[in-house]
Amino acid sequence: MPDKIYLFLTALLILILATHALALGGFLSYGIWWLDLVLHFAGGTWLGVFVFWYLFRHKNYQVGILPASLLVVGLISFAMFAGVLWEFFEFSWDYFAGPYGAILAQRSLQDTMSDLLFDFLGALVAAVFLFALEFRVLKRY
């Protein structure tokens, strides 16, 4: 039986991908100004939880192997790195496909910065919640 974190990761990824697909397909409009921010927050959360799951559930590393603050920074850094790669992808899309009439992915620098901010906030919430939960569980034993 998969653990709860794995089930959460699967459900959240399906939700993110379905929402993004519906938005790109025109069923949900990216005219809803906050939809992109919610997806970036959810993506940052997913990445933070994924790294935690991968290290401590899949690879079975001990949670106390590094100080909690360093692990929180690591989870956030991974999510931010992925967020920057995504923004590079959007920029490349606009640069190469935009001249041929493709819908632009980046509306402005403000859009890019808000995307990265919400990636960061999602990863921060995930990291703080996971480590508070994990260290609270560890202190019981």
Side-chain angles (χ1 to χ4, degrees):
M1 172 94 184
D3 66 20
K4 290 179 183 178
I5 292 177
Y6 182 79
L7 294 174
F8 172 78
L9 284 169
T10 303
L12 185 58
L13 184 61
I14 290 169
L15 179 67
I16 291 169
L17 293 175
T19 304
H20 187 66
L22 288 172
L24 289 178
F27 298 105
L28 296 174
S29 172
Y30 267 119
I32 303 172
W33 66 269
W34 49 265
L35 183 60
D36 187 45
L37 302 178
V38 171
L39 287 174
H40 276 276
F41 183 86
T45 302
W46 188 88
L47 286 164
V49 174
F50 174 78
V51 171
F52 182 89
W53 170 82
Y54 183 78
L55 292 176
F56 302 115
R57 297 292 195 263
H58 184 68
K59 292 291 185 182
N60 294 320
Y61 293 129
Q62 297 298 318
V63 174
I65 197 167
L66 293 172
S69 58
L70 186 59
L71 291 171
V72 168
V73 169
L75 295 182
I76 293 169
S77 297
F78 181 80
M80 291 304 300
F81 177 67
V84 168
L85 289 178
W86 180 259
E87 293 304 317
F88 281 148
F89 167 74
E90 286 185 346
F91 174 80
S92 298
W93 175 263
D94 291 351
Y95 186 80
F96 292 110
Y100 299 104
I103 297 173
L104 296 180
Q106 294 180 318
R107 294 179 294 274
S108 65
L109 178 61
Q110 181 181 356
D111 175 62
T112 300
M113 294 288 90
S114 65
D115 290 350
L116 292 173
L117 173 66
F118 278 88
D119 290 337
F120 170 77
L121 292 175
L124 178 66
V125 167
V128 169
F129 177 77
L130 285 167
F131 281 101
L133 177 68
E134 202 62 29
F135 284 112
R136 188 190 71 190
V137 169
L138 286 176
K139 289 180 183 177
R140 279 195 249 160
Y141 298 107

